[in-house]
Amino acid sequence: MKKEAQLFKSLADETRLRIIWLLMAKEELCVCDIMGVLGITQSKASRHLRYLYHLGWVTDRRAGVWMNYRLSVSPGSPEDKQLKLLADILKSRPEAQELREHLEQWLAAKGQDKEGAAACQCR
Amino acid sequence: MKKEAQLFKSLADETRLRIIWLLMAKEELCVCDIMGVLGITQSKASRHLRYLYHLGWVTDRRAGVWMNYRLSVSPGSPEDKQLKLLADILKSRPEAQELREHLEQWLAAKGQDKEGAAACQCR
DNA sequence: AACTAATAACCGGATAACCGGATATTGTCA
DNA sequence: TGACAATATCCGGTTATCCGGTTATTAGTT
């Protein structure tokens, strides 16, 4: 059951849960979005995203300089059910709701800066 | 989301998964059963059982010298759903099926030794 | 090619998890 | 009460995890 233990281990970290929670809300996000919304180091954001990538939770898609990530579980799979259950648990948590509002604000602010084009300039 | 992370952490250990899997099959087991079936140290068995106890996954019931444990999630709760999902994942795994057969054998052997009474003598 | 932004990989260091063996505790029975 | 079985806890050692800071890579721009 090593495989199953590892599956849970991949969810046993608050930062990874937050990332997944954001990706459940937004379909696709780049690393700098996640840094910004969660207020964490680039190093930290990237590390956890690669972790999730190597375990198959997310796929990456390069768009120029940006690297976009999105959830990649196949519908109906155990992983998919697990995510749905997680969403079910989190949706009632104020903490999680605030995170999503924070995400909306972040994306809105990003959208304003010159429409569409390179609006990141993550510092 | 610290709470949720810890929930997954409690499942992120192969030994604990095995213990839970056994308790899903058998309703109630004592420490020495778990030691025997899983082939682990007494120290290890007890430690993980206390861990699960403190997190509310199981309750304990003393019966003389024995300490019996059983699952204690309330029906319909997120934890209950999580266990059901886990069971769903594990039931198709040969490894898990063998574990249950092993459990049956162990209990059968235990039952033979003088019927009902102290049949453990775990060494 | 040089420069820069975004990201990934690497590198100690701190902390936490897990383990086996030893010891302490609890209950039973003679 | 003394001996013993079952279990919990303690101790130290080993390994895994997580982190921030640094460096390397990749793509776009001039």
Short mmCIF file of all heavy atoms in Angstrom, two decimals, chain A residues 66-109:
data_model
loop_
_atom_site.label_atom_id
_atom_site.label_comp_id
_atom_site.label_asym_id
_atom_site.label_seq_id
_atom_site.Cartn_x
_atom_site.Cartn_y
_atom_site.Cartn_z
N TRP A 66 6.17 31.99 -19.16
CA TRP A 66 5.35 31.44 -18.08
C TRP A 66 5.21 29.93 -18.16
O TRP A 66 5.16 29.36 -19.25
CB TRP A 66 3.95 32.04 -18.11
CG TRP A 66 3.93 33.45 -17.66
CD1 TRP A 66 3.83 33.91 -16.38
CD2 TRP A 66 4.01 34.59 -18.50
NE1 TRP A 66 3.85 35.28 -16.38
CE2 TRP A 66 3.96 35.73 -17.65
CE3 TRP A 66 4.12 34.79 -19.86
CZ2 TRP A 66 4.02 37.03 -18.14
CZ3 TRP A 66 4.19 36.07 -20.36
CH2 TRP A 66 4.14 37.16 -19.51
N MET A 67 5.06 29.36 -17.02
CA MET A 67 4.71 27.95 -16.97
C MET A 67 3.34 27.86 -16.30
O MET A 67 3.15 28.30 -15.17
CB MET A 67 5.74 27.19 -16.14
CG MET A 67 5.59 25.71 -16.23
SD MET A 67 5.95 25.07 -17.88
CE MET A 67 7.65 24.57 -17.68
N ASN A 68 2.39 27.32 -17.04
CA ASN A 68 1.05 27.20 -16.49
C ASN A 68 0.79 25.78 -16.00
O ASN A 68 1.24 24.82 -16.61
CB ASN A 68 0.00 27.55 -17.56
CG ASN A 68 0.07 29.01 -17.94
OD1 ASN A 68 -0.03 29.89 -17.09
ND2 ASN A 68 0.27 29.27 -19.22
N TYR A 69 0.09 25.71 -14.91
CA TYR A 69 -0.25 24.42 -14.35
C TYR A 69 -1.75 24.27 -14.26
O TYR A 69 -2.47 25.25 -14.01
CB TYR A 69 0.37 24.26 -12.96
CG TYR A 69 1.86 24.03 -12.99
CD1 TYR A 69 2.75 25.10 -12.88
CD2 TYR A 69 2.37 22.76 -13.15
CE1 TYR A 69 4.13 24.88 -12.93
CE2 TYR A 69 3.75 22.54 -13.18
CZ TYR A 69 4.61 23.61 -13.07
OH TYR A 69 5.96 23.39 -13.12
N ARG A 70 -2.20 23.04 -14.44
CA ARG A 70 -3.62 22.75 -14.25
C ARG A 70 -3.78 21.33 -13.71
O ARG A 70 -2.92 20.48 -13.91
CB ARG A 70 -4.40 22.91 -15.55
CG ARG A 70 -4.02 21.92 -16.63
CD ARG A 70 -4.99 22.00 -17.79
NE ARG A 70 -4.96 23.29 -18.46
CZ ARG A 70 -5.98 23.79 -19.18
NH1 ARG A 70 -7.11 23.10 -19.29
NH2 ARG A 70 -5.85 24.93 -19.80
N LEU A 71 -4.88 21.08 -13.07
CA LEU A 71 -5.14 19.75 -12.55
C LEU A 71 -5.27 18.78 -13.71
O LEU A 71 -5.75 19.14 -14.78
CB LEU A 71 -6.41 19.73 -11.71
CG LEU A 71 -6.30 20.48 -10.38
CD1 LEU A 71 -7.65 20.51 -9.68
CD2 LEU A 71 -5.27 19.83 -9.48
N SER A 72 -4.87 17.54 -13.49
CA SER A 72 -4.88 16.59 -14.61
C SER A 72 -5.40 15.21 -14.24
O SER A 72 -5.01 14.23 -14.83
CB SER A 72 -3.46 16.45 -15.14
OG SER A 72 -2.69 15.71 -14.22
N VAL A 73 -6.26 15.13 -13.25
CA VAL A 73 -6.77 13.81 -12.89
C VAL A 73 -7.84 13.40 -13.89
O VAL A 73 -8.64 14.23 -14.33
CB VAL A 73 -7.36 13.81 -11.47
CG1 VAL A 73 -6.27 14.12 -10.46
CG2 VAL A 73 -8.49 14.79 -11.35
N SER A 74 -7.85 12.13 -14.24
CA SER A 74 -8.85 11.69 -15.20
C SER A 74 -10.18 11.47 -14.47
O SER A 74 -10.21 10.89 -13.39
CB SER A 74 -8.40 10.41 -15.88
OG SER A 74 -7.95 9.48 -14.94
N PRO A 75 -11.23 11.96 -15.09
CA PRO A 75 -12.56 11.91 -14.46
C PRO A 75 -12.94 10.49 -14.05
O PRO A 75 -12.73 9.55 -14.81
CB PRO A 75 -13.49 12.41 -15.56
CG PRO A 75 -12.61 13.20 -16.47
CD PRO A 75 -11.28 12.54 -16.43
N GLY A 76 -13.46 10.35 -12.88
CA GLY A 76 -13.88 9.04 -12.41
C GLY A 76 -12.80 8.25 -11.71
O GLY A 76 -13.09 7.25 -11.04
N SER A 77 -11.56 8.66 -11.85
CA SER A 77 -10.47 7.94 -11.20
C SER A 77 -10.53 8.17 -9.68
O SER A 77 -11.18 9.09 -9.22
CB SER A 77 -9.14 8.43 -11.74
OG SER A 77 -8.94 9.78 -11.37
N PRO A 78 -9.86 7.30 -8.93
CA PRO A 78 -9.81 7.49 -7.49
C PRO A 78 -9.27 8.88 -7.12
O PRO A 78 -9.79 9.51 -6.21
CB PRO A 78 -8.83 6.42 -7.03
CG PRO A 78 -8.91 5.36 -8.07
CD PRO A 78 -9.18 6.06 -9.35
N GLU A 79 -8.27 9.33 -7.87
CA GLU A 79 -7.72 10.66 -7.58
C GLU A 79 -8.77 11.74 -7.78
O GLU A 79 -8.87 12.69 -7.00
CB GLU A 79 -6.52 10.94 -8.49
CG GLU A 79 -5.27 10.13 -8.17
CD GLU A 79 -5.34 8.73 -8.75
OE1 GLU A 79 -6.28 8.46 -9.55
OE2 GLU A 79 -4.49 7.89 -8.39
N ASP A 80 -9.56 11.57 -8.80
CA ASP A 80 -10.63 12.52 -9.06
C ASP A 80 -11.62 12.52 -7.89
O ASP A 80 -12.02 13.58 -7.39
CB ASP A 80 -11.34 12.14 -10.36
CG ASP A 80 -12.40 13.16 -10.74
OD1 ASP A 80 -12.10 14.37 -10.67
OD2 ASP A 80 -13.52 12.76 -11.10
N LYS A 81 -11.99 11.34 -7.46
CA LYS A 81 -12.92 11.26 -6.32
C LYS A 81 -12.30 11.90 -5.09
O LYS A 81 -12.98 12.56 -4.30
CB LYS A 81 -13.25 9.79 -6.03
CG LYS A 81 -14.12 9.14 -7.10
CD LYS A 81 -14.38 7.68 -6.76
CE LYS A 81 -15.05 6.96 -7.93
NZ LYS A 81 -15.04 5.48 -7.74
N GLN A 82 -11.01 11.67 -4.93
CA GLN A 82 -10.33 12.26 -3.77
C GLN A 82 -10.39 13.78 -3.82
O GLN A 82 -10.65 14.43 -2.81
CB GLN A 82 -8.88 11.77 -3.74
CG GLN A 82 -8.09 12.27 -2.55
CD GLN A 82 -8.63 11.74 -1.23
OE1 GLN A 82 -8.53 10.56 -0.93
NE2 GLN A 82 -9.23 12.61 -0.43
N LEU A 83 -10.16 14.33 -4.99
CA LEU A 83 -10.22 15.79 -5.11
C LEU A 83 -11.62 16.31 -4.84
O LEU A 83 -11.79 17.34 -4.19
CB LEU A 83 -9.76 16.21 -6.51
CG LEU A 83 -8.26 16.15 -6.79
CD1 LEU A 83 -7.95 16.89 -8.08
CD2 LEU A 83 -7.46 16.73 -5.63
N LYS A 84 -12.60 15.61 -5.35
CA LYS A 84 -13.98 16.03 -5.12
C LYS A 84 -14.30 16.02 -3.63
O LYS A 84 -14.95 16.92 -3.11
CB LYS A 84 -14.94 15.14 -5.89
CG LYS A 84 -14.95 15.40 -7.40
CD LYS A 84 -16.15 14.71 -8.06
CE LYS A 84 -16.38 15.22 -9.48
NZ LYS A 84 -15.24 15.02 -10.38
N LEU A 85 -13.83 14.98 -2.97
CA LEU A 85 -14.06 14.91 -1.52
C LEU A 85 -13.36 16.05 -0.81
O LEU A 85 -13.91 16.70 0.08
CB LEU A 85 -13.56 13.56 -0.99
CG LEU A 85 -13.64 13.36 0.51
CD1 LEU A 85 -15.04 13.61 1.04
CD2 LEU A 85 -13.17 11.95 0.89
N LEU A 86 -12.14 16.30 -1.23
CA LEU A 86 -11.39 17.42 -0.64
C LEU A 86 -12.14 18.73 -0.83
O LEU A 86 -12.29 19.52 0.11
CB LEU A 86 -10.01 17.50 -1.29
CG LEU A 86 -9.15 18.68 -0.89
CD1 LEU A 86 -8.88 18.69 0.61
CD2 LEU A 86 -7.83 18.69 -1.66
N ALA A 87 -12.62 18.95 -2.04
CA ALA A 87 -13.38 20.17 -2.32
C ALA A 87 -14.58 20.26 -1.40
O ALA A 87 -14.92 21.32 -0.86
CB ALA A 87 -13.82 20.19 -3.77
N ASP A 88 -15.22 19.13 -1.21
CA ASP A 88 -16.40 19.06 -0.36
C ASP A 88 -16.06 19.47 1.07
O ASP A 88 -16.82 20.18 1.73
CB ASP A 88 -16.95 17.63 -0.39
CG ASP A 88 -18.34 17.56 0.16
OD1 ASP A 88 -19.19 18.38 -0.25
OD2 ASP A 88 -18.59 16.71 1.05
N ILE A 89 -14.90 19.02 1.52
CA ILE A 89 -14.47 19.36 2.87
C ILE A 89 -14.13 20.84 2.98
O ILE A 89 -14.49 21.51 3.94
CB ILE A 89 -13.24 18.50 3.27
CG1 ILE A 89 -13.64 17.03 3.38
CG2 ILE A 89 -12.64 18.98 4.58
CD1 ILE A 89 -12.47 16.08 3.55
N LEU A 90 -13.45 21.34 1.98
CA LEU A 90 -12.93 22.71 2.07
C LEU A 90 -13.97 23.80 1.83
O LEU A 90 -13.85 24.90 2.36
CB LEU A 90 -11.77 22.88 1.09
CG LEU A 90 -10.47 22.16 1.44
CD1 LEU A 90 -9.42 22.43 0.38
CD2 LEU A 90 -9.96 22.57 2.81
N LYS A 91 -14.95 23.47 1.01
CA LYS A 91 -15.84 24.55 0.56
C LYS A 91 -16.54 25.27 1.72
O LYS A 91 -16.92 26.42 1.60
CB LYS A 91 -16.86 24.02 -0.44
CG LYS A 91 -17.92 23.16 0.17
CD LYS A 91 -18.86 22.62 -0.90
CE LYS A 91 -19.90 21.72 -0.29
NZ LYS A 91 -20.42 20.72 -1.24
N SER A 92 -16.69 24.59 2.83
CA SER A 92 -17.37 25.22 3.97
C SER A 92 -16.40 25.95 4.90
O SER A 92 -16.81 26.58 5.86
CB SER A 92 -18.13 24.15 4.76
OG SER A 92 -17.24 23.17 5.23
N ARG A 93 -15.12 25.88 4.60
CA ARG A 93 -14.13 26.51 5.49
C ARG A 93 -13.90 27.96 5.08
O ARG A 93 -13.46 28.23 3.96
CB ARG A 93 -12.82 25.74 5.40
CG ARG A 93 -12.93 24.29 5.85
CD ARG A 93 -12.44 24.08 7.22
NE ARG A 93 -11.03 24.45 7.35
CZ ARG A 93 -10.43 24.67 8.51
NH1 ARG A 93 -11.12 24.55 9.62
NH2 ARG A 93 -9.17 24.99 8.55
N PRO A 94 -14.17 28.87 5.99
CA PRO A 94 -14.00 30.30 5.71
C PRO A 94 -12.60 30.60 5.16
O PRO A 94 -12.45 31.36 4.20
CB PRO A 94 -14.16 30.96 7.08
CG PRO A 94 -14.91 29.98 7.90
CD PRO A 94 -14.57 28.63 7.39
N GLU A 95 -11.64 29.97 5.75
CA GLU A 95 -10.25 30.14 5.33
C GLU A 95 -10.09 29.88 3.84
O GLU A 95 -9.42 30.62 3.12
CB GLU A 95 -9.40 29.14 6.13
CG GLU A 95 -7.93 29.24 5.92
CD GLU A 95 -7.22 28.07 6.59
OE1 GLU A 95 -7.90 27.24 7.23
OE2 GLU A 95 -5.99 28.00 6.46
N ALA A 96 -10.74 28.82 3.37
CA ALA A 96 -10.64 28.46 1.96
C ALA A 96 -11.40 29.46 1.09
O ALA A 96 -10.96 29.83 0.00
CB ALA A 96 -11.16 27.05 1.75
N GLN A 97 -12.53 29.90 1.57
CA GLN A 97 -13.33 30.87 0.81
C GLN A 97 -12.56 32.18 0.63
O GLN A 97 -12.52 32.73 -0.47
CB GLN A 97 -14.66 31.13 1.53
CG GLN A 97 -15.58 29.91 1.50
CD GLN A 97 -16.72 30.03 2.49
OE1 GLN A 97 -16.90 31.06 3.13
NE2 GLN A 97 -17.48 28.95 2.66
N GLU A 98 -11.93 32.61 1.72
CA GLU A 98 -11.13 33.84 1.63
C GLU A 98 -10.02 33.69 0.60
O GLU A 98 -9.73 34.62 -0.15
CB GLU A 98 -10.51 34.16 2.99
CG GLU A 98 -11.52 34.70 4.00
CD GLU A 98 -10.97 34.67 5.41
OE1 GLU A 98 -9.74 34.64 5.57
OE2 GLU A 98 -11.79 34.65 6.37
N LEU A 99 -9.42 32.54 0.57
CA LEU A 99 -8.35 32.30 -0.39
C LEU A 99 -8.84 32.53 -1.81
O LEU A 99 -8.15 33.13 -2.64
CB LEU A 99 -7.84 30.87 -0.24
CG LEU A 99 -6.36 30.70 0.02
CD1 LEU A 99 -5.96 29.24 -0.03
CD2 LEU A 99 -5.53 31.51 -0.96
N ARG A 100 -10.02 32.05 -2.08
CA ARG A 100 -10.56 32.21 -3.43
C ARG A 100 -10.87 33.66 -3.75
O ARG A 100 -10.63 34.11 -4.87
CB ARG A 100 -11.82 31.36 -3.59
CG ARG A 100 -11.52 29.88 -3.54
CD ARG A 100 -12.42 29.11 -4.48
NE ARG A 100 -11.90 27.77 -4.67
CZ ARG A 100 -12.64 26.74 -5.06
NH1 ARG A 100 -13.93 26.91 -5.28
NH2 ARG A 100 -12.08 25.56 -5.24
N GLU A 101 -11.39 34.37 -2.78
CA GLU A 101 -11.63 35.81 -3.00
C GLU A 101 -10.31 36.50 -3.29
O GLU A 101 -10.22 37.33 -4.20
CB GLU A 101 -12.28 36.42 -1.77
CG GLU A 101 -13.72 35.95 -1.56
CD GLU A 101 -14.23 36.30 -0.16
OE1 GLU A 101 -13.66 37.22 0.45
OE2 GLU A 101 -15.18 35.65 0.31
N HIS A 102 -9.34 36.13 -2.53
CA HIS A 102 -8.00 36.69 -2.72
C HIS A 102 -7.50 36.41 -4.14
O HIS A 102 -6.90 37.27 -4.80
CB HIS A 102 -7.07 36.08 -1.67
CG HIS A 102 -5.80 36.83 -1.48
ND1 HIS A 102 -5.48 37.96 -2.17
CD2 HIS A 102 -4.75 36.61 -0.64
CE1 HIS A 102 -4.31 38.41 -1.77
NE2 HIS A 102 -3.83 37.61 -0.85
N LEU A 103 -7.78 35.21 -4.60
CA LEU A 103 -7.40 34.85 -5.98
C LEU A 103 -8.09 35.74 -7.00
O LEU A 103 -7.47 36.26 -7.93
CB LEU A 103 -7.75 33.38 -6.24
CG LEU A 103 -7.61 32.88 -7.67
CD1 LEU A 103 -6.16 32.94 -8.13
CD2 LEU A 103 -8.15 31.45 -7.80
N GLU A 104 -9.39 35.96 -6.80
CA GLU A 104 -10.15 36.81 -7.72
C GLU A 104 -9.53 38.20 -7.79
O GLU A 104 -9.31 38.75 -8.88
CB GLU A 104 -11.60 36.91 -7.26
CG GLU A 104 -12.40 35.61 -7.37
CD GLU A 104 -12.32 35.00 -8.76
OE1 GLU A 104 -12.30 35.77 -9.74
OE2 GLU A 104 -12.25 33.76 -8.87
N GLN A 105 -9.26 38.75 -6.62
CA GLN A 105 -8.66 40.09 -6.57
C GLN A 105 -7.34 40.13 -7.32
O GLN A 105 -7.08 41.04 -8.10
CB GLN A 105 -8.43 40.50 -5.11
CG GLN A 105 -9.72 40.75 -4.35
CD GLN A 105 -9.49 40.80 -2.85
OE1 GLN A 105 -8.35 40.87 -2.39
NE2 GLN A 105 -10.57 40.78 -2.09
N TRP A 106 -6.53 39.15 -7.06
CA TRP A 106 -5.22 39.07 -7.71
C TRP A 106 -5.37 39.06 -9.23
O TRP A 106 -4.71 39.81 -9.94
CB TRP A 106 -4.49 37.83 -7.23
CG TRP A 106 -3.21 37.57 -7.98
CD1 TRP A 106 -3.06 36.81 -9.09
CD2 TRP A 106 -1.92 38.09 -7.67
NE1 TRP A 106 -1.76 36.81 -9.49
CE2 TRP A 106 -1.02 37.60 -8.63
CE3 TRP A 106 -1.42 38.93 -6.67
CZ2 TRP A 106 0.33 37.90 -8.64
CZ3 TRP A 106 -0.07 39.22 -6.67
CH2 TRP A 106 0.78 38.72 -7.64
N LEU A 107 -6.26 38.23 -9.72
CA LEU A 107 -6.43 38.10 -11.16
C LEU A 107 -7.01 39.37 -11.76
O LEU A 107 -6.65 39.79 -12.86
CB LEU A 107 -7.31 36.90 -11.48
CG LEU A 107 -6.69 35.53 -11.17
CD1 LEU A 107 -7.68 34.42 -11.43
CD2 LEU A 107 -5.41 35.32 -11.96
N ALA A 108 -7.92 40.00 -11.01
CA ALA A 108 -8.50 41.25 -11.48
C ALA A 108 -7.42 42.32 -11.61
O ALA A 108 -7.30 42.98 -12.64
CB ALA A 108 -9.59 41.72 -10.51
N ALA A 109 -6.62 42.44 -10.59
CA ALA A 109 -5.53 43.42 -10.60
C ALA A 109 -4.58 43.15 -11.76
O ALA A 109 -4.12 44.05 -12.44
CB ALA A 109 -4.78 43.37 -9.28
#
